[in-house]
Amino acid sequence: MSISKRHHYIPQFLIKGFVSDDKKLSVFDRKENVFLASRKSPKQVFYEWNRNLFEKDGEKTDFVEKLFSNTENKFAPAYTRIINKIGKGTNKYVDLFHMIHYLGTLYNSLPQNDIKISKYVQNSNFKDLGFSIKSKNTNKGVSQEEIEKLQIRFKSDLAFEQLIKLWKGITDYLEVDIIEFYKTCKLYHAETDVRLHILGDRPFLLKNEEVSSIYESEFIFPLSKGVTLYRYLGKELKEISAEDRINVDLLIFLQSKHMVCGPDKSYLTAIANVALKYDTQKKIKYLEDKVFKIFEKE
């Protein structure tokens, strides 16, 4: 069986939500501050070579990537129904619950959180992580000494760190009162056929960057070029203005480190040009305050 090498940290099914009629995207290189010469397919963006490739028993294996892919495949149909407004009633709610669960996993698996997850693993023991260690032969607990040896072994394993990203997504989700969380979410659908919103390599806009999971903060997440998820606390969001939506795109552009993609080059060019005006941390903070002002209590 062939081993995959191109590992997407943003899944292709989500990237496809931002393509134009040609099934491709315009890509702005944030490091070089230029557009890539040609438009790219979802396969060609937001990935790292061999990100989830590890060696086990002397052989290369992509079993971690397969686990991530399996999770993505389970969510993809729900995502398609959400952004296309397919389904009503119970199915709609179930799809949104799946979406909320998956976003927690996605957030943990982004490259921007690699160091955070590594520290989380190193500062936790098996009990903190929700693991119970038992003997395979007796099905009973093992000694503390054996547990400590296993902890040292696993904490030095990079594959284990990647797996914890999936596991933490599950445990974070299970700690949430999902019904109450659902009540604090609003899906914004573009009112016209002009759907131009963009996607960056740091796609979550979090009001509080210090949280251990996205469920603890208000946030904004672009689901597609025409659908955006807002998670609010305090007042309910009644209306999201055109200026608010453009400011979200500006902030997504500014916080991206490597690339930003969108269906329309002219719109992305306009965003890039306006972003030049926010060339200091003070000005970026001003923009952040404007973006998150919609969450403030009246």
Side-chain angles (χ1 to χ4, degrees):
M1 184 178 294
S2 62
I3 294 178
S4 62
K5 296 181 179 180
R6 190 193 304 250
H7 299 161
H8 286 79
Y9 50 85
I10 296 179
Q12 291 188 66
F13 75 78
L14 196 149
I15 302 170
K16 290 176 181 177
F18 292 83
V19 301
S20 191
D21 292 340
D22 64 354
K23 309 300 181 185
K24 293 185 178 181
L25 312 102
S26 291
V27 182
F28 191 90
D29 186 326
R30 288 283 284 137
K31 286 187 173 182
E32 300 297 329
N33 204 37
V34 296
F35 277 96
L36 299 189
S38 61
R39 286 167 64 80
K40 303 297 181 183
S41 69
K43 178 182 177 180
Q44 296 173 299
V45 295
F46 300 124
Y47 70 88
E48 291 181 3
W49 292 112
N50 301 324
R51 177 169 173 80
N52 294 316
L53 186 66
F54 300 97
E55 187 171 306
K56 181 175 176 59
D57 299 327
E59 294 186 2
K60 299 289 185 180
T61 175
D62 63 348
F63 77 97
V64 174
E65 177 63 15
K66 285 183 170 62
L67 288 174
F68 275 101
S69 295
N70 184 54
T71 301
E72 294 164 6
N73 291 338
K74 288 181 178 178
F75 175 74
Y79 168 83
T80 300
R81 289 190 291 268
I82 289 168
I83 65 170
N84 291 303
K85 293 185 176 181
I86 299 173
K88 296 180 180 180
T90 303
N91 289 338
K92 173 183 175 183
Y93 301 137
V94 171
D95 285 343
L96 287 171
F97 293 157
H98 281 306
M99 178 190 69
I100 292 166
H101 178 195
Y102 180 73
L103 289 182
T105 299
L106 175 60
Y107 178 71
N108 288 327
S109 63
L110 293 170
Q112 71 182 78
N113 290 318
D114 285 350
I115 294 176
K116 178 189 281 189
I117 293 296
S118 181
K119 289 181 178 179
Y120 171 74
V121 170
Q122 296 305 317
N123 294 329
S124 302
N125 55 44
F126 281 156
K127 185 177 181 180
D128 297 330
L129 297 173
F131 297 151
S132 176
I133 308 300
K134 294 183 178 181
S135 168
K136 183 178 179 180
N137 295 325
T138 65
N139 198 34
K140 295 181 179 180
V142 299
S143 70
Q144 186 61 35
E145 182 180 359
E146 288 178 289
I147 291 175
E148 290 176 358
K149 287 180 180 179
L150 284 171
Q151 287 179 163
I152 293 172
R153 175 185 169 189
F154 277 96
K155 287 184 179 184
S156 64
D157 190 331
L158 293 178
F160 180 70
E161 278 192 9
Q162 289 296 86
L163 289 172
I164 287 298
K165 294 174 180 179
L166 284 172
W167 179 249
K168 189 174 186 298
I170 295 171
T171 56
D172 288 345
Y173 177 77
L174 292 176
E175 291 177 0
V176 175
D177 184 331
I178 196 61
I179 302 298
E180 290 303 313
F181 188 93
Y182 169 78
K183 292 177 181 178
T184 63
C185 291
K186 180 180 180 66
L187 282 173
Y188 156 75
H189 289 262
E191 297 176 357
T192 69
D193 290 334
V194 181
R195 295 181 169 92
L196 304 175
H197 296 305
I198 62 176
L199 179 67
D201 53 56
R202 295 167 64 96
F204 288 88
L205 299 185
L206 289 177
K207 189 174 183 182
N208 182 1
E209 292 281 356
E210 303 304 316
V211 295
S212 63
S213 80
I214 61 164
Y215 305 116
E216 300 173 3
S217 174
E218 292 170 312
F219 67 82
I220 303 169
F221 184 84
L223 283 170
S224 75
K225 62 186 177 184
V227 184
T228 306
L229 173 68
Y230 291 77
R231 193 277 166 118
Y232 58 88
L233 297 170
K235 71 174 184 180
E236 181 180 356
L237 299 179
K238 298 294 185 181
E239 183 179 351
I240 300 166
S241 70
E243 181 184 5
D244 291 330
R245 298 194 295 272
I246 291 173
N247 285 339
V248 165
D249 284 339
L250 274 172
L251 195 52
I252 284 175
F253 182 95
L254 287 164
Q255 76 174 19
S256 298
K257 298 300 182 182
H258 302 289
M259 69 171 60
V260 187
C261 301
D264 186 81
K265 185 176 181 179
S266 60
Y267 177 73
L268 189 49
T269 298
I271 292 294
N273 289 336
V274 175
L276 292 175
K277 299 179 180 179
Y278 295 89
D279 57 353
T280 66
Q281 286 300 315
K282 184 177 180 180
K283 291 180 179 179
I284 292 175
K285 179 63 168 62
Y286 169 77
L287 179 61
E288 289 175 345
D289 290 342
K290 287 185 67 177
V291 166
F292 290 112
K293 190 173 181 63
I294 61 171
F295 293 126
E296 293 179 2
K297 294 182 179 179
E298 295 177 331

